[in-house]
């Protein structure tokens, strides 16, 4: 079950490991709607909830989803180990590195890492 937690002044909707996949830009609307209902300013989505196409940058899914979250001023955190996906794609490694330097989209190993990142 999804839950809302306040981490260092940020209301974060932490999505459950199980549930509908984010497999299209349209699916992002469900996550955004849940964030608005919970008055969250950040959504933390586990890797298990992301369609594998999200990590294949040629599909443009990651960029489209990230842009939708930016447009609605909701930050996005991808939670989990993506080392296997990054090992197979220099473009994805670059995307993750650049995203992590900003404020709109972060890739973190777990909620503890997200908590530490928000504390910084």
């Amino acid at each position: 079950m999804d839950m809302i937690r306040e981490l260092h002044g940020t209301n974060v909707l932490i999505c459950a490991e199980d549930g509908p996949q984010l497999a299209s830009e349209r699916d992002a609307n469900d996550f955004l709607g849940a964030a608005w209902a919970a008055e969250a300013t950040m959504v933390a989505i586990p890797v298990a909830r992301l369609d594998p196409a999200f990590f294949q940058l040629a599909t443009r899914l990651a960029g489209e989803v990230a842009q939708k979250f930016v447009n609605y001023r909701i930050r996005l955190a991808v939670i989990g180990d993506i080392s296997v996906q990054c090992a197979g794609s220099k473009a994805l490694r670059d995307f993750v590195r650049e995203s992590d330097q900003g404020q709109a989209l972060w890739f973190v190993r777990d909620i503890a890492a997200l908590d530490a990142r928000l504390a910084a």
Side-chain angles (χ1 to χ4, degrees):
M1 172 172 237
D2 297 349
M3 67 177 172
I4 186 82
R5 283 187 50 197
E6 193 235 318
L7 301 174
H8 301 283
T10 301
N11 285 336
V12 181
L13 175 66
I14 301 172
C15 298
E17 287 281 326
D18 58 341
Q21 290 249 309
L22 193 152
S24 72
E25 180 187 359
R26 204 169 322 130
D27 294 336
N29 294 337
D30 295 332
F31 291 91
L32 288 165
W36 292 322
E39 298 182 359
T41 57
M42 176 176 260
V43 176
I45 302 176
V47 170
R49 297 278 298 271
L50 299 174
D51 188 272
F54 186 89
F55 299 104
Q56 298 167 0
L57 296 185
T59 68
R60 301 175 55 159
L61 180 58
E64 290 169 352
V65 167
Q67 187 61 54
K68 184 165 261 199
F69 273 81
V70 166
N71 289 347
Y72 289 101
R73 293 179 176 87
I74 302 287
R75 296 163 67 193
L76 176 61
V78 173
I79 309 295
D81 182 7
I82 60 166
S83 58
V84 171
Q85 293 91 331
C86 286
S89 171
K90 181 184 181 317
L92 179 61
R93 285 192 306 273
D94 292 344
F95 178 75
V96 168
R97 186 182 65 252
E98 288 192 24
S99 295
D100 284 344
Q101 291 175 355
Q103 294 297 315
L105 171 61
W106 293 341
F107 293 83
V108 294
R109 182 169 286 288
D110 53 29
I111 296 299
L114 177 60
D115 186 48
R117 180 88 191 259
L118 287 168

